[in-house]
Amino acid sequence: MERRTLLAAAAATPLLAAALPARAHHNEGMAQAPSFYRFKVGSYVVTTVFDGFTPRQNPARSGLIVNQPPEVVEQAMRDALLPLERMDNPFTVTFVDTGRELIAFDTGTGAGQLSPTSGLLGHNLEEAGIDPAKVSKVVISHFHGDHITGLSTRENVPVFANAEVLVPAAEWAFWTDETNSGRVPEFQRGTFANVKRRFAPYQARVRQFAWDSEVAPGVRAVAAAGHTPGHTVFQVASANDQLFIMGDTASRPELFLRNPGWFSMFDLDGPMASETRRRLFGRIAAERARLTAYHFPFPANGYVATWGEGFRFVPADWSSVV
Ligand SMILES: [Zn+2]
Ligand SMILES: [Zn+2]
């Protein structure tokens, strides 16, 4: 090696050393492309934004489906070509720009708050060119932690600094009354404290809405109770087009859309959740309407068709970007 090359190498070393921890921190080698998907509903621009996922080990044997034996769940997973040993629960937040308002539907899991593989919303919003400070309304489907924790940071500072927060009245009534804690399974009891904490920084800006009312022009709240007492679906209509934002009416489609009669451990009222699932997906299939759902695989966008005793998910054509 020539002396000049040696000197150059020595000079470069500190830079390289400084760069390495940053690379490791951002995990560049394993990063995905920005995860957002944009399309139009009439004149409204809709963007679904990925917030990451939480893995669940051995879902069929972990009590996820409470009214089926593990063998039946495993067969459904094999039929859907899903691995049996792990199933990811993905999170997708929907943003609707009506031209006058920018509305967020749920909030994600919060950066570094629920699991190491989730909380990507802030990063992906930046890539999508959406500024959380410009969100005028945050509309909440229900109060489970994966839907409201992203309202605020770990230090409980509001993420949507200028937004009004709209909540289903029935959901608010249930989770703000701790005498209801005996009516939920033990693993969901932390929801009462999380509700108190996440809405506190928005106090004066929280507004309750009733089912069948409009939460914004062209956005109607549709009753979808069962998963939780106030669980709500949103119907977005513009021109002759419409989109249903399904929240947790069904989580993974391979299980709960195919088998609407299955109860998830997260459904507070299994029979009611199941009845709601059949009714709403039946309506959407009949109307051939577009939908997005919080736990469908990203970009969580498409249609449903009736299929045997249940439904199948038909992903939207990717060419339908604006
Ligand atoms: Zn939920
Ligand atoms: Zn959820």
Side-chain angles (χ1 to χ4, degrees):
M1 202 183 273
E2 274 181 28
R3 193 181 130 77
R4 220 166 48 181
T5 319
L6 262 175
L7 278 175
T13 304
L15 274 176
L16 193 67
L20 275 174
R23 276 179 65 95
H25 177 72
H26 290 293
N27 203 9
E28 277 174 14
M30 292 298 287
Q32 297 282 20
S35 296
F36 61 90
Y37 177 70
R38 195 165 268 146
F39 58 100
K40 278 185 112 174
V41 174
S43 65
Y44 293 180
V45 177
V46 181
T47 311
T48 59
V49 185
F50 189 53
D51 182 50
F53 64 91
T54 301
R56 169 179 285 274
Q57 309 304 326
N58 293 311
R61 296 181 184 272
S62 70
L64 177 64
I65 286 109
V66 299
N67 63 340
Q68 294 297 322
E71 302 74 45
V72 173
V73 180
E74 285 184 344
Q75 192 52 51
M77 293 179 71
R78 274 191 212 99
D79 290 347
L81 305 180
L82 289 171
L84 299 185
E85 61 279 5
R86 173 182 140 174
M87 187 168 67
D88 292 339
N89 186 28
F91 312 108
T92 296
V93 181
T94 301
F95 292 81
V96 175
D97 188 340
T98 69
R100 301 168 93 188
E101 293 193 81
L102 178 59
I103 309 166
F105 291 86
D106 292 337
T107 67
T109 59
Q113 298 195 74
L114 280 198
S115 69
T117 48
S118 67
L120 309 177
L121 185 74
H123 172 75
N124 286 332
L125 276 177
E126 212 174 301
E127 300 291 347
I130 295 174
D131 178 358
K134 295 210 171 110
V135 170
S136 50
K137 279 178 182 160
V138 178
V139 180
I140 303 290
S141 67
H142 69 298
F143 289 178
H144 278 155
D146 52 326
H147 298 254
I148 65 164
T149 297
L151 274 170
S152 63
T153 64
R154 216 197 276 253
E155 296 73 33
N156 213 19
V157 175
V159 166
F160 304 95
N162 300 303
E164 195 182 14
V165 182
L166 276 61
V167 300
E171 193 72 357
W172 184 264
F174 185 83
W175 293 108
T176 56
D177 178 358
E178 286 193 41
T179 63
N180 288 323
S181 69
R183 297 169 64 190
V184 309
E186 196 152 357
F187 76 91
Q188 290 200 30
R189 293 206 180 128
T191 306
F192 290 94
N194 194 45
V195 164
K196 205 178 264 180
R197 175 171 160 81
R198 299 300 160 183
F199 290 107
Y202 292 91
Q203 212 169 25
R205 292 182 276 146
V206 177
R207 188 154 64 80
Q208 297 176 45
F209 61 81
W211 287 323
D212 290 325
S213 66
E214 273 206 334
V215 295
V219 183
R220 182 166 290 276
V222 179
H227 179 67
T228 62
H231 182 261
T232 302
V233 156
F234 301 95
Q235 180 186 19
V236 178
S238 171
N240 288 324
D241 217 353
Q242 63 172 341
L243 169 76
F244 285 88
I245 301 171
M246 301 304 291
D248 283 7
T249 306
S251 57
R252 290 287 306 220
E254 303 89 340
L255 300 181
F256 297 100
L257 210 54
R258 282 296 287 118
N259 305 281
W262 290 9
F263 309 161
S264 156
M265 69 193 290
F266 298 101
D267 294 334
L268 278 189
D269 184 330
M272 194 194 287
S274 165
E275 192 277 322
T276 294
R277 209 171 283 141
R278 286 186 204 280
R279 177 170 48 84
L280 290 179
F281 285 112
R283 171 185 171 187
I284 289 167
E287 292 183 19
R288 304 173 80 90
R290 193 167 188 155
L291 66 91
T292 180
Y294 203 74
H295 300 296
F296 279 23
F298 192 78
N301 200 290
Y303 304 85
V304 290
T306 53
W307 187 256
E309 296 293 297
F311 306 92
R312 70 190 165 100
F313 178 59
V314 182
D317 188 336
W318 276 74
S319 66
S320 60
V321 178
V322 175

